Amino acid sequence: MPIRRDLGAAAVLAAHALLLFMAPPIFDYLQLNPKRAWGPFVPLHELDMQSRAPMAKALAPAEAVLGARQNWHFYTTGASRRRHFEIWVDGELWHRSNDPDHAFMAGPLANSRVRHHVKDWVHGKRVPAVQPALLNLVATWVQGADPAARTVEIRGMEGRWPTRKQKKVRSVEMDLTTGGTP
Amino acid sequence: MTSASATRTNPWSRWVEHCFRPIDARVLAALRIGLATVTVLDMLRTWSQGLVPWLYRLDGVGVARPLEHYLLQPLGPEGPVIAFYVALGAYALVALGAFTKPAIVVALLAAAQLGQVGPFTEQGVDHIVHTTLWILLFSPCDARWAVGPSKRQDHVPAWSLDLVAFLLVLVYMDSGLCKLFRDWDAWTNLAYLPATFRIMADPLSGVVDPAWGHQYQWLFRALDTLTLLFECGAFLLLTRFRAGWAVMGVALHIGLAFTMKLGQFPYAMLAFYPMFFFPEPRPATTGGTALDRLLERVQRAPSSDD
């Protein structure tokens, strides 16, 4: 029994070490963008990249299959500009981000697994990958709500904080009668 | 030197004693139920919004694209959709405590495959929940409040909660130190607009009205400082001051739940917190903090469960 407890305690110690090894605070993030390292973090980051990072990378497939990737860079600076996503159906505004008066699809678009796709599209990231899927999703919902609708347009709007003035930075339209661009 | 005093001075023996000190089995059960329930509710929400095919079906209509470690090709385009429902059922069993250990394995392997069909189908909070459930797999997390079959115990070894607390400390400190060293100007009140304002008033993820929020910059600057303080000082969650520090964590996540659209994130994180408010038995020579003593009195109050 004491040996079993010793082995258990050794495994717990190893698990602590593994967690720390896989995601030591800050190095985990600096790996993504080494240019952000400054002062004492430059040599520390280089040392980390030479010694720990390759071993951690070797464990990445196991992390993926177990669904337990260890990197924890959450919200950092927030949005640099004030951005909205809009849905226009036959020239009428149906949805505008965080606008209770135009809340069509507000629930699905705020879903945490959808929200990032919307945000990336408005921001201009991954547009070729996201745009067709996003347009398909919106078109399906619009047709469900109004089978007579003819066109749907999604828009990305952008402006400076905190003013209300915004300009259209992205837009794509679909003809719902043909499924193509009008 | 007596054997008892030798045990006290030997670091390894102290570590073994620390790992296997008994704690109330209900704390572990609450963590299991909390995490699995929040996950089930989040998945049900995604299902009720009709988003499952768009997120997971590999038919080119939605966002799903197989990544490097996707293993369900033999199931065809519906593979991830099947994995979604399998994971949902297995998480429900974990919450109920029915066949808990096999259910944890099935839920986690199926959920991991959901993360292999797109960049945002899996999020940071999923990884926290998954890592925690992998830890709980090796612990008697179904010793209480479980349908069974499982062996009922009133006390369980504390090591699994220690490991989960360590994981949370890494998560918070990683986040906090990145804010401090990488984005120091945004979070130390030197930027034109406070970071929490730009996060909470972002129409794509927050619910705070920018015009209103702009009038109360002092409030957001205070929130910046408190967030940074809590996250960088998260190591205190491993000390006797953990209950006091955890109050800040609870406030932070309740605040996020009300001011942002982050899905299950704040609720899953809140599911971790009961463990910080459960006082542990301690030697008579240490008094504990005032909050510890208050929580101890609450714990001793008669409970209908006992």
Side-chain angles (χ1 to χ4, degrees), chain B residues 21 129 191 269 274:
Chain B
R21 71 192 187 282
V129 171
M269 295 308 288

Side-chain angles (χ1 to χ4, degrees), chain B residues 51-278:
Chain B
L51 293 168
V52 173
W54 188 79
L55 282 169
Y56 300 117
R57 189 182 288 152
L58 293 163
D59 57 3
V61 175
V63 282
R65 303 284 183 277
L67 301 182
E68 194 183 352
H69 301 290
Y70 178 67
L71 304 172
L72 303 177
Q73 288 93 345
L75 296 176
E78 295 290 333
V81 177
I82 296 168
F84 176 88
Y85 291 113
V86 169
L88 177 59
Y91 274 123
L93 291 179
V94 175
L96 290 170
F99 304 101
T100 312
K101 300 298 172 71
I104 289 177
V105 175
V106 171
L108 292 178
L109 292 180
Q113 287 305 301
L114 296 181
Q116 290 302 308
V117 290
F120 296 119
T121 45
E122 208 173 39
Q123 299 168 325
V125 65
D126 295 314
H127 294 284
I128 300 173
V129 171
H130 295 173
T131 307
T132 303
L133 287 176
W134 281 119
I135 293 169
L136 294 190
L137 177 67
F138 299 97
S139 71
C141 62
D142 55 354
R144 293 293 299 272
W145 296 338
V147 173
S150 58
K151 186 180 164 194
R152 187 194 150 105
Q153 300 170 56
D154 288 333
H155 291 91
V156 293
W159 65 263
S160 52
L161 286 186
D162 291 343
L163 202 48
V164 171
F166 185 67
L167 171 71
L168 285 190
V169 168
L170 289 179
V171 172
Y172 284 128
M173 289 193 71
D174 196 352
S175 190
L177 291 176
C178 281
K179 289 182 177 83
L180 184 63
F181 292 120
R182 208 208 77 149
D183 302 312
W184 57 274
D185 53 337
W187 286 89
T188 48
N189 293 335
L190 294 173
Y192 165 58
L193 291 170
T196 45
F197 168 75
R198 294 199 295 182
I199 291 170
M200 292 176 180
D202 177 6
L204 291 170
S205 52
V207 298
V208 172
D209 176 35
W212 177 87
H214 198 251
Q215 295 170 19
Y216 297 95
Q217 294 293 296
W218 59 269
L219 174 65
F220 291 97
R221 291 196 189 281
L223 290 175
D224 278 8
T225 305
L226 285 172
T227 304
L228 205 57
L229 191 67
F230 169 72
E231 291 189 338
C232 293
F235 62 88
L236 289 168
L237 292 171
L238 299 175
T239 68
R240 59 195 279 257
F241 304 106
R242 61 190 184 143
W245 210 250
V247 170
M248 283 176 75
V250 170
L252 175 94
H253 290 297
I254 289 176
L256 285 178
F258 279 102
T259 56
M260 295 192 73
K261 298 171 276 190
L262 294 178
Q264 81 279 33
F265 177 74
Y267 308 103
M269 295 308 288
L270 284 169
F272 284 96
Y273 277 83
M275 69 183 188
F276 295 116
F277 296 108
F278 222 86

Side-chain angles (χ1 to χ4, degrees), chain A residues 2 4-10 12-13 15-17 19-20 23-30 33 36 38 41 60-61 63-85 97-98 107-120 122 126 129-130 132-134 136-137 141 161-162 164 166, chain B residues 12 15-17 19-20 42 45-46 49 51 54-56 60-63 65 69 71 108-109 112 116 119-128 130-131 134-135 159 162-163 166-167 170-171 173-175 177-179 181-184 186-187 192-193 195 197-199 201-211 214 260-265:
Chain A
R4 197 177 161 190
R5 279 166 66 96
D6 283 331
L7 287 174
V12 173
L13 189 61
H16 277 84
L19 287 177
L20 184 61
I26 209 168
F27 291 116
D28 158 44
Y29 196 94
L30 289 178
N33 192 350
R36 302 302 295 261
W38 53 271
F41 294 104
E63 285 183 313
V65 173
L66 298 176
R69 197 158 49 94
Q70 305 292 302
N71 54 18
W72 312 120
H73 38 272
F74 290 122
Y75 271 94
T76 50
T77 56
S80 58
R81 285 177 173 254
R82 191 164 159 255
R83 298 185 178 91
H84 283 89
F85 176 74
S97 309
N98 201 25
L109 293 174
N111 185 296
S112 59
R113 293 173 208 284
V114 177
R115 186 173 58 85
H116 289 283
H117 295 293
V118 177
K119 201 170 179 174
D120 272 6
V122 176
R126 299 168 54 242
V130 172
L134 197 54
N136 284 338
L137 178 70
W141 274 72
W161 289 106
R164 294 197 182 276
Q166 287 189 310
Chain B
W12 179 252
W15 171 250
V16 175
E17 288 305 314
C19 287
F20 287 92
D42 182 62
R45 185 164 162 261
T46 300
Q49 289 172 336
L51 293 168
W54 188 79
L55 282 169
Y56 300 117
V61 175
V63 282
R65 303 284 183 277
H69 301 290
L71 304 172
L108 292 178
L109 292 180
Q116 290 302 308
F120 296 119
T121 45
E122 208 173 39
Q123 299 168 325
V125 65
D126 295 314
H127 294 284
I128 300 173
H130 295 173
T131 307
W134 281 119
I135 293 169
W159 65 263
D162 291 343
L163 202 48
F166 185 67
L167 171 71
L170 289 179
V171 172
M173 289 193 71
D174 196 352
S175 190
L177 291 176
C178 281
K179 289 182 177 83
F181 292 120
R182 208 208 77 149
D183 302 312
W184 57 274
W187 286 89
Y192 165 58
L193 291 170
F197 168 75
R198 294 199 295 182
I199 291 170
D202 177 6
L204 291 170
S205 52
V207 298
V208 172
D209 176 35
H214 198 251
M260 295 192 73
K261 298 171 276 190
L262 294 178
Q264 81 279 33
F265 177 74

